[in-house]
Amino acid sequence: MIAILRTLWTVSLDSYADDNGIEPGKVECDLGSYLTSSINDIAPLEEAGAYATCITPRPAPQPPGQAVVRCDWRIAVDRNAWQQARGIGRQTARRDLLDHLVRELYSLPSVCDTDVVMAASYRIGRVVVRRTFLPGDRKRARPAAVVPGLDI
């Protein structure tokens, strides 16, 4: 099964730089490299023997104070291996693959505590699915709120 996933990430330079301990001028390159190297480690993508290839050319100049990074992938996976890894039926394999990837990408450790917004689009048959993920829509690596009396 071959699937195409298109994502567009928008994050303030300071938010990503502060959270990842890098200089703001390096955010665009770091975020793009991080996403590209992380996608193939997402379980059960790895378990199913799938491989995602970044198919995006380098982006245009960035808006002041933000990094806008487009990462589009071509994902190749054996349908039966994906079904087995996820315990799903044949009819839902493509949708499950793409839904799973966008949720997991948006929850990666280096982005989950920043102000990043991700827009994703992919085809399921003739239907184009478009989803936008906001900071409150993801799993977090650390607590989202400070608990009074708790020093971390």
Side-chain angles (χ1 to χ4, degrees):
M1 168 171 65
I2 303 294
I4 302 294
L5 171 61
R6 300 185 187 289
T7 62
L8 184 65
W9 302 74
T10 306
V11 64
S12 68
L13 297 179
D14 291 337
S15 173
Y16 188 89
D18 290 349
D19 201 63
N20 289 283
I22 63 171
E23 295 174 28
K26 296 183 178 183
V27 168
E28 176 193 355
C29 183
D30 187 81
L31 178 57
S33 296
Y34 176 71
L35 294 171
T36 301
S37 65
S38 297
I39 191 169
N40 285 302
D41 295 332
I42 293 175
L45 201 63
E46 185 177 29
E47 181 184 331
Y51 190 76
T53 304
C54 184
I55 58 173
T56 309
R58 294 304 302 156
Q62 301 295 300
Q66 288 189 325
V68 179
V69 177
R70 182 173 191 104
C71 288
D72 298 341
W73 288 282
R74 179 185 184 272
I75 302 122
V77 61
D78 178 87
R79 182 183 300 270
N80 292 329
W82 182 258
Q83 289 170 226
Q84 185 175 1
R86 295 283 290 163
I88 59 170
R90 182 170 177 79
Q91 298 300 320
T92 60
R94 181 177 307 273
R95 174 124 200 179
D96 180 78
L97 168 70
L98 293 163
D99 285 347
H100 183 76
L101 284 176
V102 296
R103 280 191 311 275
E104 291 300 314
L105 280 170
Y106 196 62
S107 297
L108 287 169
S110 284
V111 296
C112 72
D113 290 315
T114 69
D115 65 359
V116 71
V117 173
M118 180 188 76
S121 66
Y122 47 90
R123 283 190 176 278
I124 305 297
R126 293 184 177 147
V127 176
V128 175
V129 177
R130 296 183 198 285
R131 299 178 68 188
T132 300
F133 292 82
L134 303 172
D137 297 335
R138 62 185 160 226
K139 299 181 271 183
R140 293 189 174 273
R142 60 179 181 239
V146 175
V147 178
L150 181 64
D151 289 327
I152 297 180

